[in-house]
Amino acid sequence: MNATVNRHWRSFKWAAWLGWQIESNWTEPWLFAIYSVIKPVAGAFILVLMYVVFTVIGNVQDLARFNFVYVGNAFFIFVGNTLFGTFQVIQADREWYQTLRYTYISPISYYTYIVGRAATKVAVAAFAVLITIAFGVAFLGIKIDLSAWELPAFFAAMALGAFTLVGIGVSLAALSFLTARHVRGLAEGVPGVFYLFCGVLFPLTVLPDWGQSIGKAIPLTYWFHLIRQITMPADYFAAVPTGLTTDPLEIMALLAVSATGFFLLSIGLFRLMEYLARRAGKLDMTTNY
Amino acid sequence: MDLAVETQQLTRVFTQRRKIFRRRRNGENGESEGPVTALDHVDLQIRDGELFGLLGPNGAGKTTLIKILATLLLPTSGIAKVAGHDVTKDPLPIRLKINMVSGGESSGYGLLTTRENVWMFSQFYGVSSKTAKARIDKLLHTFGLWEKRNAKVRNLSSGQRQKMNMIRGFVTDPDILFLDEPTLGLDVNASRVIRDYVKSWVKTTAGKTVLLTTHYMMEADELCDRLAIIDHGKILAVDTPENLKRRLKKETTFRLEVDPLKDTSRFKTIPGVKNFSLKSDGGASLEKLTFILEDEAAVSDIVSEVVRQGSKIHHLQKTEPTLEDVFISMVGRSLE
Ligand SMILES: Nc1ncnc2c1ncn2[C@@H]1O[C@H](COP(=O)(O)OP(=O)(O)OP(=O)(O)O)[C@@H](O)[C@H]1O
Ligand SMILES: [Mg+2]
């Protein structure tokens, strides 16, 4: 038992260490620090542009709406980076560094290793969200209302979101054990689907019925909803109706169930795909595009 | 005596979907379609503490065998046990005891330093910090990589990367180490250092086993306690290098240097010729023939066949059999 815990901890710790080395691979640490701030801010400028277009065309000079879009996009950074950070571990190790075979035959848990490698990306993405929000508050009139007693709920929501996303990411990564090409498209497509159908840019009610059904079937829709509910001022939040339940506990419960579901799915898929890849001799293939 | 490695009827078949794709695109011909049997009912026993060699031509199945034993690939059928555990059912206890290094590839995290790279892998195995540090320092010195200890891996030459990977293999102090062509592409000095180290590691530490593949006869002859000769996925012989050579003593080895021949197919049909191989020194005007004869009398037939083709014999010599001759005798061609 203790040996198992040890093994997972070892796997996570050194994978996270490696992930951090790769992420912060800058000759000058201060350059990395500046980059970490500049990148999200640059992203925010694109949002400003979007809003200008938005208001010119739609004539909606509505602060609440801008808040809605801005917060949604800021937290989408977290979604995209967590997903992609998890998904690309196998491909990078197999094709680029060619270390997968050696890591795989070492006495670690490869599943936990993937999660460890993704952890840095999750942390960096969370930081980027923070910077984006701070920039919005400072320069674009974004209003955030997050009081101390809401913090536990906020962190719980972030954790549940991260679990769900890592679960989806590992599932995609597991598929890439067997094929590289097709999964890459999938990994780029999935965040796109989330962007469209999870109420990131506009409330779900804007979508046609079938689109709303898709959105309501994806747990992240509720996650964005909950995050907005926790972070936006109550009147702003109420000003953009989304047609979703506003009971935070209900949403939390739903997210907890979906996070568990994706976790179990990812373990199952990982085991299956690992077995199939080891059987097919694909654990150390390189595709040589 | 305990067995480090044991296989029973071990078979591995690759279904070749990728090759078929390639052929369709390029209109390539000649290669056989359908599945390839990389290992064909292999029975092998490697004892604890042995330095065991696998010798075989390209595509013989050496790497496939190592991948299966290193828990990277599953067998199609048959059983493979490493340190007493089944590779299919029970890989984890195996992984705690093994490591693997393949030559001729340059894996590694380019943005880490040599030392960090090796360090990280040692930590995957739970080696204590103090032990890991001491081992890494020692190995960096041994393999002549000390100067590069803080260099980024992306700035290492391919030979230096290979040395780093050797250190990665030894730093976890495995009980069983798989080395797939460890000296491939290394200079004479580096190869020497690696051979000496591997040999002394097995001989001076109790309970250390090495399974090594190589294309260098000298290396196999010099290093290995026992050798398996493998071709087309089948083990043709397992014995000490000495015994393998002794087997040939009943046969006679002749070497000839002749002007290029038009047709060598007739040699095989001469009575008394067991096997022969031909090497032309790329571009040079002479061809080197090695004959393994069951009956020395065949020499006169060989000579007259060469003369009949209008070629001239520049050199003819009867020699002591080398490991290479053993190989030619069994496989029907030379390794290089
Ligand atoms: N992943 C794979 N898919 C399809 N065929 C494979 C695969 N790996 C190996 N083979 C085939 O199996 C056979 C044995 O290959 P293997 O790599 O074991 O040979 P080897 O003895 O290591 O040769 P070399 O001396 O060239 O390294 C070859 O015919 C090879 O084409
Ligand atoms: Mg090979």
Side-chain angles (χ1 to χ4, degrees):
Chain A
M1 189 60 214
N2 204 11
T4 309
V5 174
N6 251 329
R7 190 163 67 93
H8 285 287
W9 170 237
R10 200 165 72 212
S11 314
F12 182 85
K13 179 176 157 190
W14 289 101
W17 176 85
L18 175 61
W20 172 247
Q21 299 298 322
I22 293 175
E23 201 63 36
S24 63
N25 174 35
W26 294 76
T27 38
E28 301 289 345
W30 59 269
L31 264 178
F32 173 63
I34 290 181
Y35 171 81
S36 307
V37 174
I38 299 255
K39 204 182 154 209
V41 167
F45 270 113
I46 293 165
L47 279 180
V48 176
L49 217 69
M50 258 167 59
Y51 184 66
V52 170
V53 175
F54 197 67
T55 47
V56 167
I57 295 173
N59 259 340
V60 197
Q61 219 104 54
D62 186 351
L63 271 176
R65 269 183 190 269
F66 183 51
N67 237 316
F68 180 96
V69 173
Y70 195 90
V71 170
N73 271 282
F75 280 90
F76 189 77
I77 299 175
F78 187 74
V79 172
N81 282 326
T82 303
L83 267 182
F84 201 73
T86 316
F87 156 74
Q88 52 80 37
V89 174
I90 287 180
Q91 274 199 313
D93 276 6
R94 184 177 56 198
E95 320 254 335
W96 180 247
Y97 303 112
Q98 294 179 18
T99 46
L100 191 141
R101 56 163 81 183
Y102 302 117
T103 308
Y104 182 80
I105 65 157
S106 71
I108 60 167
S109 154
Y110 200 78
Y111 181 101
T112 308
Y113 170 87
I114 296 177
V115 176
R117 278 284 294 275
T120 312
K121 278 258 199 282
V122 176
V124 170
F127 182 70
V129 174
L130 196 74
I131 294 292
T132 309
I133 296 285
F135 179 81
V137 169
F139 300 106
L140 302 175
I142 296 298
K143 287 215 162 62
I144 293 294
D145 176 14
L146 188 62
S147 45
W149 60 270
E150 281 174 318
L151 278 177
F154 176 72
F155 285 121
M158 288 300 281
L160 285 174
F163 270 121
T164 305
L165 289 166
V166 169
I168 300 173
V170 174
S171 303
L172 286 172
L175 292 178
S176 72
F177 262 140
L178 270 191
T179 79
R181 231 167 281 218
H182 309 300
V183 180
R184 200 171 181 88
L186 203 59
E188 279 158 8
V190 167
V193 169
F194 290 168
Y195 195 73
L196 273 183
F197 292 103
C198 294
V200 179
L201 203 53
F202 38 72
L204 224 51
T205 44
V206 170
L207 291 172
D209 279 351
W210 59 268
Q212 291 193 31
S213 307
I214 294 179
K216 284 181 179 165
I218 305 175
L220 285 174
T221 307
Y222 304 93
W223 183 73
F224 278 109
H225 185 68
L226 180 62
I227 289 288
R228 283 195 182 101
Q229 187 170 6
I230 297 176
T231 58
M232 280 165 60
D235 52 338
Y236 274 25
F237 181 70
V240 187
T242 57
L244 297 167
T245 171
T246 46
D247 180 356
L249 278 181
E250 199 178 309
I251 297 182
M252 284 280 193
L254 199 140
L255 286 174
V257 169
S258 79
T260 313
F262 277 111
F263 176 63
L264 294 178
L265 173 76
S266 69
I267 289 184
L269 258 183
F270 180 86
R271 291 227 177 114
L272 176 67
M273 291 299 146
E274 176 198 9
Y275 168 77
L276 291 177
R278 195 174 156 209
R279 199 178 68 172
K282 291 196 166 171
L283 282 175
D284 59 346
M285 70 171 175
T286 45
T287 29
N288 298 322
Y289 287 109
Chain B
M1 183 153 233
D2 285 339
L3 294 176
V5 171
E6 184 183 11
T7 73
Q8 290 161 19
Q9 299 290 297
L10 183 65
T11 301
R12 173 67 217 201
V13 178
F14 286 108
T15 45
Q16 280 197 309
R17 223 183 287 145
R18 251 192 281 164
K19 264 198 179 142
I20 294 168
F21 266 124
R22 210 179 298 149
R23 178 190 326 236
R24 277 203 199 123
R25 234 188 283 139
N26 303 350
E28 226 173 79
N29 271 316
E31 275 188 79
S32 65
E33 213 166 316
V36 172
T37 305
L39 292 174
D40 194 354
H41 298 89
V42 168
D43 289 315
L44 192 66
Q45 300 195 325
I46 301 174
R47 297 188 276 267
D48 261 351
E50 254 190 322
L51 211 173
F52 194 97
L54 281 175
L55 211 51
N58 293 133
K62 305 180 294 293
T63 301
T64 304
L65 178 58
I66 284 197
K67 281 187 187 172
I68 288 178
L69 298 177
T71 74
L72 194 60
L73 181 69
L74 286 174
T76 306
S77 65
I79 292 171
K81 284 186 180 171
V82 177
H85 300 280
D86 189 300
V87 291
T88 309
K89 294 185 200 124
D90 212 8
L92 184 61
I94 297 177
R95 289 176 183 159
L96 285 161
K97 292 186 173 174
I98 62 163
N99 210 334
M100 173 178 76
V101 182
S102 326
E105 62 161 71
S106 49
S107 65
Y109 292 96
L111 41 90
L112 299 183
T113 67
T114 307
R115 173 175 247 144
E116 286 170 337
N117 224 303
V118 177
W119 172 266
M120 185 184 72
F121 277 98
S122 77
Q123 296 313 298
F124 286 169
Y125 288 74
V127 181
S128 80
S129 308
K130 212 176 136 200
T131 313
K133 190 181 176 313
R135 275 190 205 148
I136 292 171
D137 282 1
K138 188 169 152 272
L139 287 163
L140 282 168
H141 279 112
T142 306
F143 289 108
L145 222 49
W146 180 250
E147 260 79 79
K148 296 286 179 187
R149 65 190 180 281
N150 292 325
K152 299 270 186 205
V153 170
R154 61 164 170 259
N155 296 329
L156 298 185
S157 76
S158 60
Q160 288 163 341
R161 278 189 184 213
Q162 198 162 324
K163 291 180 198 169
M164 177 190 80
N165 271 315
M166 286 302 289
I167 299 177
R168 178 183 55 68
F170 281 108
V171 75
T172 63
D173 197 36
D175 285 344
I176 304 165
L177 181 59
F178 300 107
L179 298 175
D180 196 359
E181 303 185 39
T183 58
L184 182 73
L186 290 182
D187 66 39
V188 181
N189 257 330
S191 307
R192 171 91 272 140
V193 168
I194 285 180
R195 274 181 215 137
D196 289 348
Y197 189 80
V198 169
K199 189 155 190 173
S200 81
W201 186 73
V202 175
K203 295 302 152 202
T204 59
T205 336
K208 300 296 177 192
T209 309
V210 168
L211 173 59
L212 159 139
T213 78
T214 180
H215 281 124
Y216 305 121
M217 289 291 173
M218 293 280 293
E219 191 166 286
D221 202 350
E222 177 193 330
L223 282 183
C224 298
D225 299 320
R226 288 197 305 150
L227 278 173
I229 293 184
I230 178 172
D231 191 25
H232 294 300
K234 288 200 174 77
I235 304 265
L236 303 179
V238 182
D239 218 327
T240 63
E242 282 317 305
N243 284 342
L244 287 170
K245 282 184 272 187
R246 204 166 296 143
R247 285 188 198 185
L248 261 197
K249 290 260 160 87
K250 284 181 257 126
E251 296 156 359
T252 320
T253 309
F254 271 97
R255 293 184 210 289
L256 275 79
E257 285 181 25
V258 302
D259 289 332
L261 294 164
K262 294 183 199 80
D263 172 25
T264 54
S265 60
R266 288 248 355 237
F267 290 129
K268 192 89 198 197
T269 65
I270 296 174
V273 173
K274 184 173 178 211
N275 243 324
F276 81 99
S277 87
L278 174 93
K279 261 192 245 174
S280 30
D281 284 347
S285 53
L286 288 185
E287 286 184 338
K288 287 182 182 162
L289 289 158
T290 304
F291 285 91
I292 314 291
L293 304 181
E294 280 155 347
D295 179 2
E296 258 185 69
V299 171
S300 63
D301 290 343
I302 292 168
V303 170
S304 43
E305 172 62 20
V306 172
V307 172
R308 196 186 62 80
Q309 291 195 26
S311 173
K312 212 171 113 191
I313 296 176
H314 294 260
H315 185 78
L316 172 69
Q317 190 190 12
K318 183 181 169 186
T319 59
E320 281 290 297
T322 63
L323 204 51
E324 172 133 30
D325 302 327
V326 176
F327 192 86
I328 293 169
S329 153
M330 288 185 177
V331 179
R333 57 189 185 277
S334 77
L335 248 190
E336 286 123 78

